[in-house]
Structure formats: C-alpha cells, structure tokens
C-alpha cells in the first residue's frame, strides 16, 4: 500500500538487546522519517533522512540511531533496548513540495 | 522549537452532529497545517491540509480553518457518521510536529 512497507510488524525483545527496524519504499522519495507513537503523546519524530547518508535527529532521538545506505531503505536501530522504548514505530515518506506524508503500517515493539 | 497543543483529547458526539477539534501552535513561521485520521490499529492517513495563504478549506463534510494571527487551526466535521470514529491528529511544519490526538466517538 502506497509503496512503503515496514518490517517486522511485531517484535518482542529483551532489555539490553539490539533491535533494528526496517522501512522500505518503492517510490524513490528523498525524505523518510521515523516516528514513535505512545498514548497521550501523539506521534513524535525520532530521526529523519533527506537523502542517502543524510540523516538528522528529531525530538526524541536519544537511544536510537539510523542509517540510509540506499534510497529505498531507512533503518532504525535501538542499540540496547529499554522498556521505555516499548512503542509503535511508524515510518513515513514525503514528496518535496507536497508536504503530505504517507505512513507505513507500523511496527509494534515490546521490550520485556 | 515548534509546539502544538490539541484539544479536546476525547470527544463524543451523536450521529449527525458536528465535531470541532482545535490546535494552537507557537511558531509563527509555520505555513503548513495538515490533519490526519487514524483508525484503530491502522496507520495515520492525511484527510485534509491547509497552507498559510488561505483561511479555510473544505472537502465534503470536513473543513479546516486557520487563524494565523491567533495561531490556531481547527478541524470541522459536519453530519458525523459512525465511521468518523477514530483518533485525529493535527500537525504543522514541513518536518511534521504532531498534536497529542483527539479520540472522536460518534454514537449512532
């Protein structure tokens, strides 16, 4: 749907383990974003990318890193997962000039 | 930095009534104001947006109004239907900053 897929859809991991979430797009869009969604907080921006190897931090970037080695893939890594990172993670893409975002289906991550 | 406050957090209306959700923001440089709808367990989807050069935009039963002087914008849904039940998010900016969300419940 809309050329953006996230994997995995669900994941349970243990505290202290590394976790990588993948966002893949087939639209060749330049801009990609990672958000987390928590009750009462809406969607908060973690990191975003404006091109291959070009990334920047969002408002809640602590504990997260990202990589974008090719246009179609944007990876989000939790180096050492903590319970506070239990959340639903959404990837999004946007088209320059239109501003509208298209979101992926989300990844539900549980850290136990 | 940019900040957006959204109210109310929950809203319950009878089918056929109107619903209004309001967002206020602090950054006067913001020039793009979208609204997203998220159904339970689904992804957020853009339903309407407005740029700063217009004061109102309508699309069938939904409309968005913008008051740049007062720094607030609102979503208006008329003739609500049960399928309008969802969480609605306002947002602003090019690198979107989202409000906290409003859970709308339309009772038949």
């Amino acid at each position: 749907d809309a050329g953006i897929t996230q994997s995995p859809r669900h994941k349970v991991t243990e505290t202290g383990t590394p976790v990588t979430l993948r966002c893949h797009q087939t639209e060749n869009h330049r801009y990609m974003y990672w958000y987390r969604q928590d009750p009462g907080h809406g969607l908060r921006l973690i990191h975003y990318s404006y091109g291959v190897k070009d990334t920047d931090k969002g408002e809640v970037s602590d504990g997260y890193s990202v990589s974008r080695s090719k246009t179609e893939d944007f990876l989000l890594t939790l180096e050492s997962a903590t319970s506070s990172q239990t959340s639903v993670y959404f990837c999004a893409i946007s088209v320059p000039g239109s501003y509208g975002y298209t979101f992926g289906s989300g990844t539900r991550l549980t850290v136990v | 930095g940019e900040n957006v406050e959204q109210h109310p957090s929950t809203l319950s209306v009878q089918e056929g009534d109107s619903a209004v959700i309001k967002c206020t923001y602090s950054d006067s440089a913001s020039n793009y104001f979208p609204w997203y709808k998220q159904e339970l367990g689904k992804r957020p989807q853009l339903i309407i947006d407005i740029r700063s050069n217009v004061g109102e935009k309508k699309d069938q039963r939904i409309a968005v109004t913008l008051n740049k002087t007062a720094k607030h914008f609102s979503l208006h849904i008329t003739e609500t239907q049960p399928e309008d039940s969802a969480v609605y998010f306002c947002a602003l900016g090019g690198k979107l900053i989202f409000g906290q969300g409003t859970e709308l419940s339309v009772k038949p």
Side-chain angles (χ1 to χ4, degrees), chain A residues 35 37 97 101 103-105, chain B residues 36 38 43 51 89 94-96:
Chain A
Y35 284 84
Q37 184 174 32
Y101 282 19
F103 283 88
S105 297
Chain B
Y36 286 78
Q38 185 178 28
R43 73 188 78 191
R51 305 284 181 104
F89 293 97
K95 186 179 59 184
L96 291 183

Side-chain angles (χ1 to χ4, degrees), chain B residues 26-38:
Chain B
S26 55
D27 183 5
S28 58
S30 297
N31 59 10
Y32 175 66
F33 309 89
W35 286 89
Y36 286 78
K37 176 183 179 182
Q38 185 178 28

Side-chain angles (χ1 to χ4, degrees), chain A residues 30-32 49-55 68 71:
Chain A
R30 182 178 166 193
Y31 291 86
M32 299 183 75
S49 170
Y50 41 95
V52 173
K53 292 185 169 49
D54 290 326
T55 64
R68 190 154 179 216
T71 300

Side-chain angles (χ1 to χ4, degrees), chain B residues 18-22 33-35 47-50 55-66 73-79 88:
Chain B
S18 295
V20 181
I21 304 168
K22 183 178 178 179
F33 309 89
W35 286 89
I47 56 172
I48 195 168
D49 57 11
I50 193 169
E56 182 175 0
K57 182 177 179 180
K58 288 187 72 173
D59 183 3
Q60 300 181 18
R61 295 186 298 107
I62 61 173
V64 56
T65 58
L66 171 65
F73 58 111
S74 299
L75 177 70
H76 305 256
I77 307 174
T78 59
E79 300 172 27
Y88 291 81

Side-chain angles (χ1 to χ4, degrees), chain A residues 32-49:
Chain A
M32 299 183 75
Y33 309 83
W34 276 107
Y35 284 84
R36 61 177 289 174
Q37 184 174 32
D38 305 288
H41 291 279
L43 293 134
R44 293 180 291 175
L45 181 63
I46 306 171
H47 282 279
Y48 65 101
S49 170

